Amino acid sequence: MAKDPVRVLVTGAAGQIGYALVPMIARGVMLGPDQPVILHMLDIPPAAEALNGVKMELVDAAFPLLKGVVATTDVVEGCTGVNVAVMVGGFPRKEGMERKDVMSKNVSIYKSQASALEKHAAANCKVLVVANPANTNALILKEFAPSIPEKNITCLTRLDHNRALGQVSERLGVQVSDVKNVIIWGNHSSTQYPDVSHATVKSGGAEKAVKELVSDDEWLKEEFIKTVQQRGAAIIKARKLSSALSAASSACDHIRDWVLGTPEGTWVSMGVYSDGSYNVPAGLIYSFPVTCRNGEWTIVQGLEIDEFSRKKLDATAEELTEEKALAYSCLS
């Protein structure tokens, strides 16, 4: 039996990440090789012509799974009936701008998109916020779309999670697919805490602790953490543009695992609404290790947190609490 198409919204679809992301979705990377999709691409009016060019290319690529394309600058049309929403559009920080200026621009964008999603998206729509500040943009979206269940609003830290997997695999000279259960805690910012305390590598049929195999605590506590935290800046320096291909790929990973489930014994990192687990203040969108089943995520419980990790978890929570206060001050 052929499946009914799923409607997937990508905002900021004419931008760099959008351009990398829409062909992945149309090819089945996000929802599976047997799941037809209808793409909803939304962008701002100045990008309308470029957006139409992306639509032309999607037609030209003749993707078998792509059953329709809506390319629009109208937020209501963009959000109508969508089952998955990937929020890539946002206001980027420009040189000389204060954090509060960027925050107030994004607060107004996410406030209006939240209302449109709430009124027009399909019931049980899953939302992934990619645009920075991703955690706080997601929190604003949650505030202004009260009828969307809080468990359906998430932000992207899978890019950081995948970066951490990549660094471990490079360091140990192993396949990245043999590394699992790294964790990104907290904010998608330079205070995030990439944690390998519970990570393992498949080696000769057995699973071995990354900490043991690396056996260099200084590297794990200093260089590894800094490299993952600052990888985005390193890519901008090298490419003169921000990460697009890796961001798009990890957005597909995030949604695919959320919808189709995580492999047995494996967890992934997702920015989700905190319930107070691991003494993280409730009411923040914070990155935790999660497993997914039947379209629902669950925070992995009972992991041991040592003193070093505790400090890192608290520091990133503190930054998120400050960001939340800043965002709320932009509302009043």
Side-chain angles (χ1 to χ4, degrees):
M1 278 289 288
K3 295 180 172 180
D4 289 335
V6 168
R7 290 180 182 270
V8 181
L9 166 66
V10 177
T11 71
Q16 270 217 95
I17 295 174
Y19 188 70
L21 179 58
V22 293
M24 293 182 188
I25 298 170
R27 211 177 262 290
V29 175
M30 178 180 276
L31 293 167
D34 61 345
Q35 177 58 66
V37 291
I38 296 170
L39 265 170
H40 286 229
M41 302 193 298
L42 177 68
D43 216 315
I44 53 175
E49 202 177 344
L51 188 65
N52 195 44
V54 179
K55 182 180 179 175
M56 288 157 70
E57 285 204 75
L58 285 168
V59 171
D60 294 351
F63 293 110
L65 288 171
L66 187 60
K67 301 304 177 192
V69 180
V70 176
T72 184
T73 58
D74 176 71
V75 67
V76 173
E77 187 186 4
C79 292
T80 298
V82 298
N83 309 99
V84 173
V86 186
M87 317 302 281
V88 181
F91 191 89
R93 188 169 182 173
K94 294 178 178 157
E95 225 172 318
M97 281 185 81
E98 290 299 320
R99 265 179 74 204
K100 177 142 188 181
D101 304 333
V102 187
M103 188 70 82
S104 71
K105 295 265 195 223
N106 280 297
V107 162
S108 65
I109 292 170
Y110 277 83
K111 192 175 164 182
S112 79
Q113 294 189 339
S115 320
L117 279 171
E118 176 161 61
K119 291 192 187 91
H120 305 287
N124 211 27
C125 174
K126 288 179 158 54
V127 182
L128 167 61
V129 177
V130 177
N132 287 321
N135 300 58
T136 301
N137 285 343
L139 193 62
I140 293 298
L141 198 144
K142 182 207 160 287
E143 289 298 307
F144 288 97
S147 73
I148 298 178
E150 61 195 32
K151 67 177 192 326
N152 282 24
I153 295 172
T154 63
C155 82
L156 187 71
T157 56
R158 182 60 175 268
L159 176 54
D160 310 296
H161 180 98
N162 287 350
R163 284 168 171 164
L165 293 174
Q167 288 306 305
V168 170
S169 101
E170 295 270 283
R171 173 80 183 196
L172 293 174
V174 296
Q175 295 298 319
V176 74
S177 52
D178 288 337
V179 186
K180 69 174 193 181
N181 296 353
V182 298
I183 302 168
I184 303 296
W185 298 98
N187 198 1
H188 174 62
S189 75
S190 58
T191 67
Q192 61 170 268
Y193 171 40
D195 176 12
V196 297
S197 311
H198 309 278
T200 61
V201 174
K202 221 190 315 189
S203 158
E207 288 192 355
K208 296 185 178 161
V210 164
K211 276 182 125 168
E212 268 173 50
L213 292 172
V214 170
S215 72
D216 180 346
D217 258 14
E218 196 183 337
W219 182 79
L220 287 172
K221 287 184 170 175
E222 298 288 334
E223 195 186 328
F224 165 73
I225 291 176
K226 278 201 185 75
T227 301
V228 176
Q229 286 172 337
Q230 294 166 12
R231 187 69 160 184
I235 285 165
I236 290 173
K237 191 166 179 251
R239 258 187 25 107
K240 314 294 177 267
L241 292 163
S242 55
S243 331
L245 172 164
S246 53
S249 180
S250 54
C252 289
D253 291 345
H254 175 113
I255 297 285
R256 187 188 61 243
D257 285 344
W258 188 5
V259 172
L260 302 176
T262 45
E264 195 61 44
T266 300
W267 62 67
V268 294
S269 303
M270 283 170 68
V272 298
Y273 197 62
S274 169
D275 60 358
S277 291
Y278 296 101
N279 292 338
V280 170
L284 296 174
I285 299 260
Y286 188 100
S287 181
F288 287 97
V290 301
T291 54
C292 304
R293 276 189 76 170
N294 305 326
E296 308 238 330
W297 54 264
T298 307
I299 295 173
V300 175
Q301 296 295 343
L303 297 174
E304 209 172 301
I305 306 294
D306 63 20
E307 196 185 341
F308 177 82
S309 297
R310 184 72 260 164
K311 286 192 177 119
K312 297 277 189 200
L313 264 76
D314 292 345
T316 190
E318 211 168 293
E319 182 184 55
L320 280 168
T321 305
E322 281 166 25
E323 268 188 28
K324 180 180 180 175
L326 185 62
Y328 280 56
S329 74
C330 297
L331 289 168
S332 50

